[in-house]
Structure formats: C-alpha cells, structure tokens
Amino acid sequence: MTTNPFRKAALIALLALALPATSAHWVGEVQAQDDDYEGWFTYVDFYVGEQQTQEAVRTGMVADINNATERIEAAFGALEDGEVVEALEAAAARGVQVRLVSDEGSASVSGISTLLANGEIDSVLGDGPLSYLPDPTLTTVLEFCQTNSSGDYIQCTSAGGQGNNENLVNRPDSFNVMTHSFVVIDTTTVWNITAPLTDEQPLWLAFRATSEDLARSFRREFNQMHAGVFSTTLSVYNGPLKSITQNVTLRNTNRGQMRVRFNPQERLVKNVIDEIYRAKGSVWVMTEDLQNRDLINALRYKQENGFDVRVMVGSTQGSSVDSELADLDVVRAPASMGLLPTFIVHDAERDVQGRRQPRLVQMLSHNLWQGAPMDVITRVPNDEVRIYPSDTFVDGAMWEILEDGTEPNDAVDPFVQAWESAWSEAQ
C-alpha cells in the first residue's frame, strides 16, 4: 500500500505543531538572534530626562523615519519640532505612505500646519469643540453659560439675563483634546512620547519598541482616528463611539513587564485611581493640571492612613480645587519648569512594615482631569450645570513599567530618580 504524499506532509506538519514551544532547540535559536531572550517579541528602550533625552529621542525617531520603506502613521497632539517635520515630509517625497492625525485646536501649531499643507501627507484633524444634549431635561438650564472665574469649568443656568447659549452643552476645543505623540514606522517600530513635541514640555518620557504586536495596537488606535472616530465622536446615545480595546495589555519585554492602554475606551484616569488605592507604600503624583476629585479623595485616603503621598502640579493649575489640594500639601512647580508630564510612581518607598513592594510607574499623555464631563448642581429655584474638561473626551495613551514582585526591575530606577529630581527642583 502506497502512502499519499499530501497525507504524509500533513502528518509531519501536525507533529511539528505538537512539539513543545519551549524546546531547547527553539530557545537556542532565539538566543542566537538576540542575547536578550525575553525581549524577542517586544524589544523596548526607555528614555527619561530633559535636554539629553530629548536629543536622543529626536535623533532616534528621525533616523527611523528616514529608514522607513513602506508607511508611517504619525499622531501628534502638537508638534513644533522641525527635524521631525522635515523627516516626515522627506519620507512622503520618496514614496512612503505618510498619514497624520492631530487635534483640531493644533491646526495653527507650526509643525502641524506645515504637514497639513503638504499634499503628499494624508492628514485628519479631530476633537475640537463639541455641542450636544445629553439629557433633554437640561434644555432650560442651558440658557446662560459663562466660564467660572477659576477657568476650570463652564457654569450654565436658566437665569442671568439675556441668553448666550443654544440650550446645548457646548464644550470648547480646550476641553476635548487629542494628546497622542506617537509614530508607527513600517510594521514593527513604535515611538511613543508622553509629551507634546514642543519647547513648553522639557521633561520627556518616551519609549521605542520593536514589536509587531505593539505596532498593531498603536495602528488600531491610529486607524480609528484617521477614519474620523475620535473621543468626541458620539453615538446616537450621546456616548463616545471609540470602542477598540487592547486584547493583550501586559507584555514581557527585554526590560521587564510593560503595559499600554488607550483613552477614552480604557479610562486611564480611573486606572490611576485604582492603582492609588492598591499601593502599599507610597504614591507620588506629578501632573500639570489635577482636577479629578475622585483621585484627590484617593490620595487623601492614603495620606490619612500613613502612606507617603507626594503631589506636584504645574504653574497652570486652576483654582477650583485649591482647598482639596491644600489638604494634601501639594507642591506647585514654578513656570520655569515648563509644562509637567503626567507621571505617577507607586511604591517607591517601603510599606509601613518596612517591606519592599513591587513598584509601578504610570505615564499618561494628558492631565488628570474629571471623569464625568459635567455635573448637575441642584439649587432651587435655579439649577446649575457645570461642564468640565474630562478624560471622557480625550484621545490619549498610558504606558506603565511594572515589577512582578519577584525581583527589582532596573528599568524603573531612572524614572524614580527623574521624579525625585523634578520634585526637588520644584521645592
């Protein structure tokens, strides 16, 4: 009896699939390609610091853009860096498909306006002002609106003289922003920076990753926005339409564990609040503008229970939560430090029993704003609606560097040191 060659080939293939993926032969091949076995699927370099880090990030990103052969997806909330702009234009000129998404409020920013004017670059703007009616019963309360003296929110009532509203919740573009700063190059390279590429933000926190999986995650986020679906795109139920979440958030890399999440679909500020409650030793928070009262309450709870809580806000911090921040002994950074990134370090200090806990560093592309985009304040006879900057209407990203509890991750150390350095500078 003769053997069918197709059946024999299929059997060989099946047996190959049945072999254990951790066989010595497979491990040996991987180690031959890269001495860092854990980083084979996601190889990452982290960057933290001021001028020297900016130069390293800029040089590396421009070099990768210059080496692109197929496509580049660039998402910048703001961009003033001439070298990056020139590299993107040169890539488009030599036939690389270059696509851009940015914030409508940044259309006049130098780098964005230059790229918008380039006919070889496929550009889309999103977010910007938003008018909608979340509840028909609010119509009469939305007759007269004005910005609160703090500048932190808009207050609307049915009283106040001549109406200046369309009986809608009108959110200015400054309340709804696209805060991404990332570039996906070809199929495997991702640059992500927790800062707009402007001179106003001197402290850059960044990573460069080589990973098909991570590149796909960022590309999915990009493709939604480039198709016109930003955080301000509402469904028929007046809810944000963005819905794609990441199936794999925890990644083992050559520098330990890291995780990436996207806003608003994964509610980044809520994740920060959860981690604050989970911390066992200390919580250090840095952000330009802290308005989220739920987060402030979490910090107060930790402080009252003996945790090392440090909070630093920027020079543009509004005054509406002054009393709450005073209770936390918040440090306000001078304007000379520029805009602060949103940068949180958990458990840098030991717990109350003196035990070392796994550390966690979180870096967000946007401020720690309110969760709810508005509140209704009942004050008979004149109710009030308060409209806030809110992470519900922010396109952004958070990346985290984690320790798994078994041993320290030395990738965390430079970030802890950078946080402490900024804290000392602000005193």
Side-chain angles (χ1 to χ4, degrees):
M1 180 172 131
T2 58
T3 302
N4 186 319
F6 296 103
R7 181 179 297 175
K8 182 178 180 180
L11 179 60
I12 292 172
L14 182 61
L15 289 172
L17 289 173
L19 291 174
T22 56
S23 67
H25 177 65
W26 188 75
V27 171
E29 285 184 344
V30 174
Q31 289 175 335
Q33 294 179 52
D34 190 330
D35 291 336
D36 217 333
Y37 165 65
E38 284 187 332
W40 190 52
F41 290 115
T42 298
Y43 187 94
V44 63
D45 293 312
F46 295 122
Y47 299 82
V48 56
E50 298 187 7
Q51 186 62 38
Q52 186 174 0
T53 294
Q54 289 187 26
E55 292 302 322
V57 171
R58 179 183 295 108
T59 300
M61 183 188 298
V62 168
D64 283 337
I65 292 172
N66 288 339
N67 289 327
T69 59
E70 298 177 11
R71 57 184 178 177
I72 298 172
E73 286 91 14
F76 290 114
L79 174 62
E80 294 176 337
D81 194 291
E83 291 184 45
V84 175
V85 171
E86 289 175 7
L88 290 170
E89 290 198 295
R94 67 174 183 271
V96 175
Q97 180 192 38
V98 179
R99 297 189 296 161
L100 169 74
V101 294
S102 187
D103 189 79
E104 185 175 312
S106 297
S108 61
V109 174
S110 59
I112 301 300
S113 63
T114 299
L115 296 177
L116 290 174
N118 190 319
E120 296 179 315
I121 296 176
D122 186 359
S123 303
V124 174
L125 298 178
D127 291 328
L130 173 67
S131 296
Y132 72 117
L133 184 61
D135 186 338
T137 63
L138 297 179
T139 303
T140 57
V141 190
L142 297 168
E143 291 182 354
F144 180 82
C145 298
Q146 60 184 354
T147 303
N148 181 265
S149 58
S150 67
D152 292 337
Y153 61 90
I154 295 169
Q155 52 194 121
C156 302
T157 66
S158 58
Q162 184 177 358
N164 65 345
N165 203 37
E166 298 174 349
N167 299 102
L168 295 171
V169 171
N170 291 309
R171 301 179 56 83
D173 55 6
S174 60
F175 282 23
N176 323 297
V177 292
M178 198 284 277
T179 62
H180 284 300
S181 289
F182 71 77
V183 179
V184 184
I185 302 166
D186 291 334
T187 59
T188 60
T189 303
V190 178
W191 281 90
N192 183 73
I193 306 170
T194 307
L197 273 67
T198 70
D199 293 335
E200 295 180 310
Q201 194 132 15
L203 180 57
W204 287 17
L205 313 170
F207 71 79
R208 177 192 186 272
T210 304
S211 166
E212 289 188 10
D213 179 59
L214 194 57
R216 280 193 297 267
S217 292
F218 276 90
R219 186 167 288 116
R220 283 196 295 267
E221 172 73 2
F222 180 92
N223 285 340
Q224 274 201 107
M225 294 183 293
H226 196 267
V229 182
F230 288 76
S231 62
T232 51
T233 307
L234 300 181
S235 70
V236 294
Y237 302 105
N238 282 322
L241 198 58
K242 286 187 73 176
S243 60
I244 296 177
T245 57
Q246 304 304 310
N247 296 322
V248 180
T249 57
L250 189 63
R251 292 176 169 85
N252 290 315
T253 80
N254 59 307
R255 302 303 307 276
Q257 292 183 330
M258 74 173 295
R259 183 163 47 209
V260 178
R261 306 180 194 265
F262 296 99
N263 205 67
Q265 55 269 49
E266 294 178 278
R267 303 313 301 268
L268 304 187
V269 177
K270 180 185 182 302
N271 274 281
V272 172
I273 295 172
D274 291 344
E275 294 296 344
I276 289 173
Y277 280 116
R278 190 176 292 119
K280 294 180 173 62
S282 61
V283 181
W284 301 348
V285 176
M286 174 194 306
T287 189
E288 181 64 24
D289 189 15
L290 173 56
Q291 299 293 337
N292 191 296
R293 283 185 165 84
D294 292 325
L295 190 148
I296 293 172
N297 290 338
L299 292 169
R300 183 185 297 114
Y301 171 83
K302 303 301 278 194
Q303 185 185 67
E304 291 172 351
N305 283 275
F307 289 76
D308 177 12
V309 175
R310 307 181 197 178
V311 182
M312 180 166 63
V313 297
S315 59
T316 65
Q317 170 74 37
S319 61
S320 64
V321 292
D322 274 357
S323 59
E324 292 97 325
L325 295 182
D327 292 340
L328 293 172
D329 297 323
V330 166
V331 169
R332 295 176 184 265
S336 60
M337 289 183 66
L339 298 179
L340 298 181
T342 299
F343 181 16
I344 304 104
V345 178
H346 302 269
D347 291 325
E349 300 291 337
R350 295 177 180 268
D351 65 19
V352 292
Q353 282 80 36
R355 295 172 301 192
R356 183 190 171 282
Q357 298 292 333
R359 296 172 296 176
L360 167 66
V361 180
Q362 296 179 303
M363 289 148 284
L364 284 75
S365 63
H366 59 83
N367 294 319
L368 297 173
W369 280 346
Q370 293 275 12
M374 51 168 282
D375 277 338
V376 179
I377 312 298
T378 303
R379 291 176 176 170
V380 178
N382 295 318
D383 293 341
E384 180 180 315
V385 174
R386 293 183 180 177
I387 303 167
Y388 304 106
S390 167
D391 70 337
T392 300
F393 296 108
V394 173
D395 292 289
M398 174 172 71
W399 51 288
E400 302 166 295
I401 309 172
L402 306 88
E403 292 179 331
D404 62 11
T406 58
E407 60 182 20
N409 179 359
D410 61 6
V412 174
D413 295 336
F415 290 89
V416 174
Q417 293 163 10
W419 202 103
E420 290 179 309
S421 176
W423 174 260
S424 298
E425 184 181 349
Q427 303 296 312

Short mmCIF file of all heavy atoms in Angstrom, two decimals, residues 1 3 18 37 53 89 96 142 146 158 186 191 204 278 290 327 344 348 356 359 383 416 420:
data_model
loop_
_atom_site.label_atom_id
_atom_site.label_comp_id
_atom_site.label_asym_id
_atom_site.label_seq_id
_atom_site.Cartn_x
_atom_site.Cartn_y
_atom_site.Cartn_z
N MET A 1 0.85 -1.19 0.00
CA MET A 1 0.00 0.00 0.00
C MET A 1 0.89 1.25 0.00
O MET A 1 1.79 1.39 0.82
CB MET A 1 -0.87 -0.02 1.25
CG MET A 1 -1.79 1.17 1.36
SD MET A 1 -2.94 0.94 2.75
CE MET A 1 -2.75 2.47 3.54
N THR A 3 1.81 5.36 0.32
CA THR A 3 1.41 6.46 1.20
C THR A 3 1.14 7.71 0.37
O THR A 3 1.95 8.11 -0.47
CB THR A 3 2.52 6.78 2.22
OG1 THR A 3 2.78 5.60 2.97
CG2 THR A 3 2.09 7.87 3.17
N ALA A 18 2.72 19.91 17.39
CA ALA A 18 2.55 19.28 18.70
C ALA A 18 3.79 19.37 19.56
O ALA A 18 3.75 19.12 20.75
CB ALA A 18 2.16 17.80 18.51
N TYR A 37 16.65 37.11 25.65
CA TYR A 37 15.58 36.20 25.21
C TYR A 37 14.19 36.79 25.44
O TYR A 37 13.31 36.71 24.59
CB TYR A 37 15.73 34.86 25.95
CG TYR A 37 14.52 33.97 25.87
CD1 TYR A 37 14.10 33.45 24.65
CD2 TYR A 37 13.78 33.69 27.00
CE1 TYR A 37 12.98 32.65 24.57
CE2 TYR A 37 12.66 32.89 26.93
CZ TYR A 37 12.26 32.37 25.72
OH TYR A 37 11.15 31.59 25.64
N THR A 53 17.86 63.63 26.89
CA THR A 53 16.86 62.67 26.45
C THR A 53 16.13 63.17 25.21
O THR A 53 15.87 62.41 24.28
CB THR A 53 15.86 62.38 27.58
OG1 THR A 53 16.55 61.73 28.64
CG2 THR A 53 14.74 61.48 27.10
N GLU A 89 8.18 64.82 5.93
CA GLU A 89 7.98 65.32 4.57
C GLU A 89 8.92 64.62 3.59
O GLU A 89 8.51 64.29 2.46
CB GLU A 89 8.21 66.84 4.54
CG GLU A 89 7.12 67.62 5.25
CD GLU A 89 7.11 69.07 4.86
OE1 GLU A 89 8.10 69.77 5.16
OE2 GLU A 89 6.13 69.52 4.23
N VAL A 96 7.04 56.94 0.57
CA VAL A 96 6.50 56.26 1.75
C VAL A 96 5.10 56.82 2.02
O VAL A 96 4.87 58.04 1.93
CB VAL A 96 7.41 56.48 2.97
CG1 VAL A 96 6.78 55.88 4.23
CG2 VAL A 96 8.78 55.87 2.73
N LEU A 142 -29.70 75.31 30.35
CA LEU A 142 -28.57 75.65 29.49
C LEU A 142 -28.83 76.93 28.70
O LEU A 142 -28.49 77.04 27.52
CB LEU A 142 -28.28 74.49 28.53
CG LEU A 142 -27.86 73.18 29.19
CD1 LEU A 142 -27.89 72.03 28.18
CD2 LEU A 142 -26.49 73.29 29.82
N GLN A 146 -21.30 80.75 31.25
CA GLN A 146 -20.09 81.55 31.34
C GLN A 146 -18.99 80.73 32.00
O GLN A 146 -19.26 79.80 32.75
CB GLN A 146 -20.33 82.84 32.13
CG GLN A 146 -20.80 82.60 33.56
CD GLN A 146 -21.12 83.89 34.29
OE1 GLN A 146 -20.89 84.98 33.76
NE2 GLN A 146 -21.66 83.78 35.49
N SER A 158 -30.44 78.83 34.16
CA SER A 158 -31.59 79.36 33.43
C SER A 158 -31.78 80.84 33.72
O SER A 158 -32.67 81.48 33.17
CB SER A 158 -32.86 78.60 33.82
OG SER A 158 -33.08 78.69 35.21
N ASP A 186 6.65 51.50 9.47
CA ASP A 186 6.57 50.20 8.82
C ASP A 186 5.75 49.25 9.70
O ASP A 186 4.68 49.62 10.15
CB ASP A 186 7.96 49.67 8.47
CG ASP A 186 8.62 50.50 7.36
OD1 ASP A 186 7.87 51.10 6.56
OD2 ASP A 186 9.86 50.55 7.29
N TRP A 191 7.45 54.61 18.27
CA TRP A 191 7.94 55.63 19.20
C TRP A 191 6.73 56.23 19.91
O TRP A 191 5.76 56.61 19.25
CB TRP A 191 8.69 56.73 18.47
CG TRP A 191 10.09 56.40 18.08
CD1 TRP A 191 10.50 55.83 16.91
CD2 TRP A 191 11.27 56.60 18.86
NE1 TRP A 191 11.87 55.66 16.91
CE2 TRP A 191 12.38 56.13 18.10
CE3 TRP A 191 11.51 57.13 20.13
CZ2 TRP A 191 13.68 56.18 18.56
CZ3 TRP A 191 12.81 57.18 20.60
CH2 TRP A 191 13.88 56.71 19.83
N TRP A 204 10.79 64.87 28.94
CA TRP A 204 10.25 63.88 28.01
C TRP A 204 10.37 62.49 28.62
O TRP A 204 11.44 62.10 29.11
CB TRP A 204 10.99 63.91 26.68
CG TRP A 204 10.69 65.10 25.82
CD1 TRP A 204 10.10 66.27 26.22
CD2 TRP A 204 10.97 65.23 24.43
NE1 TRP A 204 10.02 67.13 25.15
CE2 TRP A 204 10.53 66.52 24.03
CE3 TRP A 204 11.55 64.41 23.48
CZ2 TRP A 204 10.66 67.00 22.74
CZ3 TRP A 204 11.68 64.87 22.18
CH2 TRP A 204 11.23 66.15 21.81
N ARG A 278 -4.55 50.70 45.49
CA ARG A 278 -3.85 49.42 45.60
C ARG A 278 -2.45 49.56 46.18
O ARG A 278 -1.87 48.60 46.68
CB ARG A 278 -3.79 48.75 44.22
CG ARG A 278 -3.30 47.31 44.23
CD ARG A 278 -3.36 46.70 42.84
NE ARG A 278 -4.75 46.53 42.40
CZ ARG A 278 -5.28 47.10 41.33
NH1 ARG A 278 -4.54 47.91 40.59
NH2 ARG A 278 -6.53 46.90 41.00
N LEU A 290 -4.42 69.03 37.90
CA LEU A 290 -5.15 67.98 38.60
C LEU A 290 -6.53 68.50 38.97
O LEU A 290 -6.66 69.43 39.77
CB LEU A 290 -4.37 67.57 39.86
CG LEU A 290 -5.05 66.60 40.83
CD1 LEU A 290 -5.46 65.32 40.12
CD2 LEU A 290 -4.14 66.30 42.01
N ASP A 327 -5.02 70.51 51.48
CA ASP A 327 -5.05 69.42 52.47
C ASP A 327 -3.96 68.39 52.20
O ASP A 327 -3.52 67.68 53.11
CB ASP A 327 -6.41 68.73 52.47
CG ASP A 327 -7.52 69.63 53.01
OD1 ASP A 327 -7.18 70.61 53.71
OD2 ASP A 327 -8.69 69.36 52.73
N ILE A 344 3.28 59.17 37.40
CA ILE A 344 2.94 58.64 38.73
C ILE A 344 3.86 57.47 39.06
O ILE A 344 4.06 56.57 38.24
CB ILE A 344 1.47 58.18 38.80
CG1 ILE A 344 0.53 59.33 38.40
CG2 ILE A 344 1.10 57.69 40.20
CD1 ILE A 344 -0.05 59.20 37.04
N ALA A 348 7.52 53.49 45.53
CA ALA A 348 8.97 53.73 45.52
C ALA A 348 9.53 53.57 46.93
O ALA A 348 10.70 53.19 47.09
CB ALA A 348 9.27 55.13 44.99
N ARG A 356 9.69 45.91 51.10
CA ARG A 356 9.72 46.44 49.75
C ARG A 356 8.58 45.84 48.94
O ARG A 356 8.34 44.63 48.97
CB ARG A 356 11.06 46.10 49.09
CG ARG A 356 11.19 46.67 47.70
CD ARG A 356 12.41 46.11 46.98
NE ARG A 356 12.39 46.52 45.60
CZ ARG A 356 11.63 45.95 44.66
NH1 ARG A 356 10.86 44.93 44.98
NH2 ARG A 356 11.65 46.39 43.42
N ARG A 359 7.21 47.92 42.44
CA ARG A 359 6.97 49.30 42.01
C ARG A 359 6.21 49.34 40.68
O ARG A 359 6.27 48.40 39.89
CB ARG A 359 8.29 50.05 41.88
CG ARG A 359 9.04 50.22 43.18
CD ARG A 359 10.43 50.80 42.97
NE ARG A 359 11.28 49.91 42.18
CZ ARG A 359 12.52 50.21 41.78
NH1 ARG A 359 13.04 51.39 42.10
NH2 ARG A 359 13.22 49.36 41.06
N ASP A 383 -31.27 75.62 39.07
CA ASP A 383 -30.27 74.56 38.98
C ASP A 383 -29.08 75.06 38.15
O ASP A 383 -29.17 76.06 37.43
CB ASP A 383 -30.86 73.32 38.32
CG ASP A 383 -31.94 72.67 39.18
OD1 ASP A 383 -31.96 72.96 40.39
OD2 ASP A 383 -32.73 71.90 38.63
N VAL A 416 12.12 56.67 38.68
CA VAL A 416 12.00 57.10 40.07
C VAL A 416 12.96 58.26 40.34
O VAL A 416 12.60 59.25 40.97
CB VAL A 416 12.28 55.92 41.03
CG1 VAL A 416 12.31 56.40 42.48
CG2 VAL A 416 11.23 54.82 40.85
N GLU A 420 12.04 62.13 41.48
CA GLU A 420 12.62 62.77 42.66
C GLU A 420 13.38 64.04 42.30
O GLU A 420 13.34 65.04 43.04
CB GLU A 420 13.55 61.78 43.37
CG GLU A 420 12.82 60.62 44.04
CD GLU A 420 13.77 59.65 44.71
OE1 GLU A 420 14.74 59.23 44.04
OE2 GLU A 420 13.55 59.34 45.90
#
